[in-house]
Amino acid sequence: MSGSLAQRASRAQASARQDGRRSTTDSPLAIGIAMVLLIIAAVYFLVPIYWLVVNATKTQPDLIGSNGFLFSTWNLGRNLSDLFSRSDGIFLRWGLNSLLYAGLGAAVGTFLSAMAGYALAKYSFRGREALFTLILGGVLVPATALALPLFLIFARVGLTDTYWSVFLPSVVSPFGVYLSRIFAAASVPDELIDAARLDGASEWRVFVTVGLRLMSPALVTIFLFQFVVIWNNFLLPLIMLRSSELWPITYGLFSWQSQVSRDPSLQILTVTGSLVSVIPLIVTFLALQRYWQAGLTAGSDR
Amino acid sequence: MYRRTLTAALAAVPLVLLSACGGGGDDADGGSGSAAACEPSGEDVELTFVTWVPGMDQVVELWNQKNPDIQVTVQETPAGNAGTYNNLFNGLEAGTSPDLSQIEYDSLSSFRLQDGLTDISACPGVADAEGQFADWTWQQTKLGDDGVYAIPQDSGPMALYYRKDLFDQAGITTPPTTWDAYYEAAKQLKQATGAYITHFPQADANWFTGLLWQRGASLFELDGDQVRVTVDSPEAQEVAQYWQRMIDEDLVATNLQGFSPELYAAWTNGSVASWPSAAWGYSTIRDNAASTTGKWAVADLPQWAEGDQAAGNWGGSTTAVLSSSDHPAEAAEFALWLNTDPEALALENELGGLYPAATAGADLPALEQGIEFYGGQTIFDVFNAAAGEVDTDFTWGPTMTDTYTAMSDGFTDALNGQGTLVDTLTAAESASRESLEAQGVPVAD
């Protein structure tokens, strides 16, 4: 009995809350406009994907000869097998490289950001704000502008055209540090840290067991950001790498595209390859979507 | 041939680098200047070779099997202007560039300006190889002095690809032999079939340069240490005026980009009926307008005066030994083999679609056969003849990127009705002069 009462009460509360919200903001016109804008945005973002899906299924002549938004001869299987067999399966290699650069790079980058952000939020030390300002300044410097100086530095230590030349710059994310600091300040209570210290936990242990755990939704956000940034980074590999077995997918597809005038069949492979290359991004996003949303709003109401 | 905006953006990169380290003394110590000694080291040597010809790795594998003491590693990269040249320029500054690279004819001069090339004229076998290549290709590698800075790889002698069926339909039974006749044919064709005779590609300076080459309108001249800019020569203006008239009278398609799906669709549906283009273009049509098989034919490029025999060239590359190489003799030996060995030439033609710069290339079985797509015509007879008629004096400037950008920007405007092709040449001339001066190259007047 009491259970059902409580249920009813909470339901009433919920509906009251809903009603309240609707009366203040949700006029039918506003909903309509919002819907239209959202639909336009969705179409805008989905049409290129649709085009990619349609055209990846075509033969090379149909890619040119038929309407880009309609299916014609179904050739996806053949395209895929050509894609993965070309030059001894170099495409798969590029895919694995991208996963390595983006996956491992984002993981390490997130961990470094978390440590730096936590330290900036929870320890007070001399020069903390100056340091933070310096890091914030780093957000403003575009990665493009840093690629060439990095190249010269890496050339001096003999690391150009190696995995490290793309991986090392990728694990640095001033924006990640910034987000981490905000999240750490908002979601890791000082009392909890003090309690852990009283129980005899080392600072490292406090960070790993308390800090990291409480910051985890935010860390997913940083991971996703960093993953996408590295996955899409094109200029850095272009400047650093020459050996095709080290290239990420973006660079590989670009190089195929640049050879199309000599070998037109590369065009359909570039299209199919582009489709395949967005799949890991979509999968990552869908898998982490829940945390992503939680992470974005965490700290916003404190 | 490639997307200009990106090229232009990337082109800015090495300039930044140059101004940052201008005159840095740690550069590979001027390997390019002297041709003094070039002896094989006698040791086992490993070389790296940058190329963007599809299938080149298989050709090099052949070399590696035969030459255990000179092992070559291939690095397949994007096309030169799509980023590889900048990568190489950066590498030359930082000392990380490879031993050899594919370099297009129009870019050799830029590499020379950056001290990026080795004079290999004293290396074993190089001096004797001159007779094995089409005259003009060898001439291109000398860059106006007595050195040899690269070995010619392939070339793009130009001819006229045309839709025989559409020409017949319009009552044009023999392909036009002069540009005047081509103009008349354009009118006839438009009236009878509604087709444009060709397209004037948007934002593509390279194609037009090939036509300038045929007219003997060299973009630059070398005068001792000085460079003379002749982009806006009377000959060049004549070519520009000719095509401007074609544009003004709506006889050429002006809304198509070269190598675009739209162009391929226009070839397929017969709304564009010919293409003055290079030998390597035969596969471009064959593979992108596959349903028009048997309808195309190839004729000599129309001439500026009846009875002339002048061909243009569009594209083509060399194999250059970079100044960073510690083994120029071995590198030159490899480059010579790569571009003269019949087995290598055959593979490069088969896998990469190369039209060889070596005259022996004309004897490749693949280039002697009739080609089904072109109605069984032995089209390479036409290109072989053209290869011997290309002007040997055509000269590129050391800052071609800027010249090209000015030209392709101007063409795009002219095709959209703003300004003319002749205006474009004038603008490109002054842009070229400015960029040469900015690079500290003495400009003759």
Side-chain angles (χ1 to χ4, degrees):
Chain A
M1 266 320 240
S2 69
S4 80
L5 254 183
Q7 269 174 7
R8 218 179 301 161
S10 75
R11 218 178 291 147
Q13 230 177 2
S15 80
R17 220 185 306 148
Q18 251 177 13
D19 288 345
R21 221 196 299 163
R22 184 166 297 158
S23 64
T24 53
T25 59
D26 299 359
S27 77
L29 184 68
I31 294 180
I33 291 174
M35 283 303 282
V36 170
L37 287 178
L38 284 176
I39 288 172
I40 290 174
V43 168
Y44 180 81
F45 288 115
L46 288 178
V47 160
I49 305 278
Y50 171 75
W51 186 94
L52 210 50
V53 170
V54 168
N55 287 280
T57 66
K58 292 181 179 177
T59 60
Q60 171 68 24
D62 276 357
L63 176 67
I64 291 143
S66 67
N67 187 320
F69 290 98
L70 300 174
F71 286 96
S72 60
T73 333
W74 187 263
N75 200 41
L76 181 60
R78 178 78 197 282
N79 290 344
L80 284 174
S81 74
D82 285 354
L83 177 70
F84 284 102
S85 60
R86 173 128 195 151
S87 308
D88 302 326
I90 191 83
F91 183 80
L92 188 65
R93 178 78 186 248
W94 293 339
L96 294 175
N97 288 343
S98 268
L99 280 179
L100 184 73
Y101 292 134
L104 200 61
V108 174
T110 305
F111 188 66
L112 290 176
S113 297
M115 288 199 291
Y118 175 85
L120 284 167
K122 292 300 166 191
Y123 298 124
S124 56
F125 51 91
R126 227 143 78 109
R128 175 168 82 159
E129 290 314 313
L131 198 60
F132 186 58
T133 314
L134 200 66
I135 291 169
L136 269 190
V139 178
L140 299 177
V141 182
T144 324
L146 294 176
L148 206 54
L150 279 173
F151 172 82
L152 291 175
I153 296 170
F154 276 77
R156 186 137 303 178
V157 291
L159 279 181
T160 54
D161 207 23
T162 61
Y163 272 108
W164 295 109
S165 65
V166 174
F167 183 80
L168 283 182
S170 298
V171 301
V172 179
S173 166
F175 188 59
V177 175
Y178 166 73
L179 281 183
S180 291
R181 179 183 180 171
I182 305 290
F183 285 130
S187 57
V188 186
D190 289 338
E191 297 81 0
L192 214 54
I193 295 179
D194 288 337
R197 282 182 186 143
L198 279 180
D199 288 345
S202 68
E203 289 301 320
W204 175 252
R205 183 118 189 257
V206 175
F207 168 66
V208 174
T209 54
V210 178
L212 271 190
R213 211 154 286 182
L214 286 173
M215 287 162 70
S216 60
L219 297 184
V220 173
T221 310
I222 296 171
F223 178 85
L224 277 178
F225 263 129
Q226 197 59 6
F227 187 86
V228 174
V229 166
I230 303 173
W231 188 275
N232 291 335
N233 193 354
F234 173 73
L235 193 70
L236 187 69
L238 182 71
I239 286 184
M240 290 288 186
L241 302 178
R242 236 175 7 236
S243 309
S244 58
E245 64 269 18
L246 300 178
W247 294 351
I249 263 184
T250 42
Y251 191 4
L253 290 175
F254 173 75
S255 116
W256 278 357
Q257 177 63 27
S258 80
Q259 294 175 0
V260 159
S261 66
R262 284 219 192 277
D263 185 353
S265 69
L266 281 173
Q267 206 163 18
I268 187 69
L269 293 190
T270 310
V271 171
T272 311
S274 303
L275 179 67
V276 173
S277 76
V278 298
I279 290 174
L281 285 182
I282 294 176
V283 168
T284 317
F285 260 80
L286 290 182
L288 298 177
Q289 194 180 29
R290 248 167 1 113
Y291 307 99
W292 165 263
Q293 284 166 342
L296 274 183
T297 51
S300 62
D301 53 351
R302 287 186 206 221
Chain B
M1 243 155 92
Y2 307 103
R3 203 166 286 168
R4 278 296 143 204
T5 42
L6 180 62
T7 313
L10 292 169
V13 173
L15 295 183
V16 173
L17 176 63
L18 285 174
S19 52
C21 333
D26 58 345
D27 191 10
D29 19 41
S32 54
S34 62
C38 182
E39 294 298 326
S41 64
E43 301 160 6
D44 283 1
V45 168
E46 286 181 11
L47 302 172
T48 47
F49 171 40
V50 163
T51 176
W52 50 94
V53 175
M56 200 55 113
D57 48 336
Q58 297 182 41
V59 184
V60 171
E61 206 162 298
L62 193 67
W63 162 271
N64 284 341
Q65 282 168 11
K66 293 180 176 179
N67 298 276
D69 50 340
I70 305 176
Q71 290 291 298
V72 179
T73 309
V74 172
Q75 296 185 320
E76 284 196 56
T77 62
N81 280 316
T84 297
Y85 289 151
N86 289 321
N87 190 310
L88 292 173
F89 285 136
N90 293 342
L92 283 166
E93 281 298 324
T96 61
S97 57
D99 297 282
L100 297 124
S101 177
Q102 174 179 0
I103 297 180
E104 286 151 297
Y105 294 104
D106 56 0
S107 298
L108 280 175
S109 193
S110 319
F111 276 87
R112 175 97 172 92
L113 178 69
Q114 315 284 4
D115 274 341
L117 303 177
T118 305
D119 180 359
I120 51 172
S121 54
C123 297
V126 173
D128 303 332
E130 176 167 359
Q132 299 187 45
F133 295 92
D135 289 345
W136 71 269
T137 60
W138 192 263
Q139 201 62 35
Q140 289 276 315
T141 66
K142 301 180 76 148
L143 298 177
D145 60 38
D146 295 329
V148 174
Y149 294 95
I151 302 294
Q153 176 193 281
D154 68 312
S155 68
M158 291 174 79
L160 181 68
Y161 297 91
Y162 67 103
R163 280 283 295 268
K164 201 170 183 334
D165 60 327
L166 294 175
F167 274 54
D168 283 346
Q169 207 180 318
I172 310 163
T173 45
T174 52
T177 53
T178 64
W179 286 110
D180 283 337
Y182 190 72
Y183 166 74
E184 296 299 332
K187 287 204 283 195
Q188 239 173 300
L189 197 69
K190 181 101 185 284
Q191 212 168 20
T193 66
Y196 287 116
I197 196 159
T198 190
H199 68 291
F200 193 99
Q202 290 194 334
D204 187 343
N206 304 63
W207 172 77
F208 191 77
T209 307
L211 297 177
L212 292 180
W213 195 328
Q214 185 206 16
R215 183 63 189 86
S218 183
L219 294 173
F220 296 87
E221 281 171 18
L222 298 176
D223 186 359
D225 282 345
Q226 295 189 310
V227 177
R228 178 174 289 121
V229 184
T230 53
V231 175
D232 198 17
S233 65
E235 292 84 5
Q237 289 192 0
E238 189 185 340
V239 181
Q241 274 157 4
Y242 175 85
W243 288 97
Q244 186 64 46
R245 181 166 66 153
M246 298 285 264
I247 294 168
D248 290 342
E249 298 182 18
D250 194 28
L251 296 173
V252 291
T254 54
N255 58 344
L256 298 169
Q257 283 207 317
F259 307 95
S260 66
E262 292 78 17
L263 173 64
Y264 302 148
W267 284 343
T268 305
N269 66 27
S271 58
V272 168
S274 79
W275 189 33
S277 181
W280 44 261
Y282 86 99
S283 61
T284 310
I285 304 180
R286 182 194 62 195
D287 298 343
N288 291 303
S291 64
T292 55
T293 181
K295 294 178 180 169
W296 292 82
V298 179
D300 290 329
L301 206 58
Q303 298 294 316
W304 285 97
E306 188 71 63
D308 277 3
Q309 283 188 327
N313 177 74
W314 179 12
S317 292
T318 65
T319 310
V321 180
L322 300 183
S323 56
S324 47
S325 178
D326 294 329
H327 305 288
E330 289 85 353
E333 186 187 345
F334 166 73
L336 278 173
W337 174 86
L338 190 70
N339 297 312
T340 55
D341 183 81
E343 214 176 334
L345 293 180
L347 260 182
E348 287 157 20
N349 176 262
E350 183 196 335
L351 301 171
L354 294 191
Y355 178 83
T359 46
D363 302 329
L364 291 181
L367 298 187
E368 286 181 324
Q369 286 166 5
I371 307 227
E372 196 191 330
F373 183 83
Y374 296 93
Q377 188 187 353
T378 50
I379 61 168
F380 285 102
D381 291 350
V382 180
F383 292 110
N384 292 341
E389 295 163 0
V390 174
D391 184 6
T392 51
D393 291 335
F394 193 87
T395 307
W396 307 97
T399 55
M400 278 313 295
T401 326
D402 294 319
T403 309
Y404 280 149
T405 307
M407 282 170 82
S408 64
D409 289 354
F411 289 161
T412 307
D413 289 345
L415 293 176
N416 292 327
Q418 293 165 318
T420 64
L421 300 181
V422 179
D423 296 343
T424 302
L425 292 179
T426 315
E429 164 128 353
S430 53
S432 309
R433 199 176 293 250
E434 275 165 32
S435 73
L436 286 174
E437 279 162 0
Q439 292 273 319
V441 179
V443 181
D445 212 36

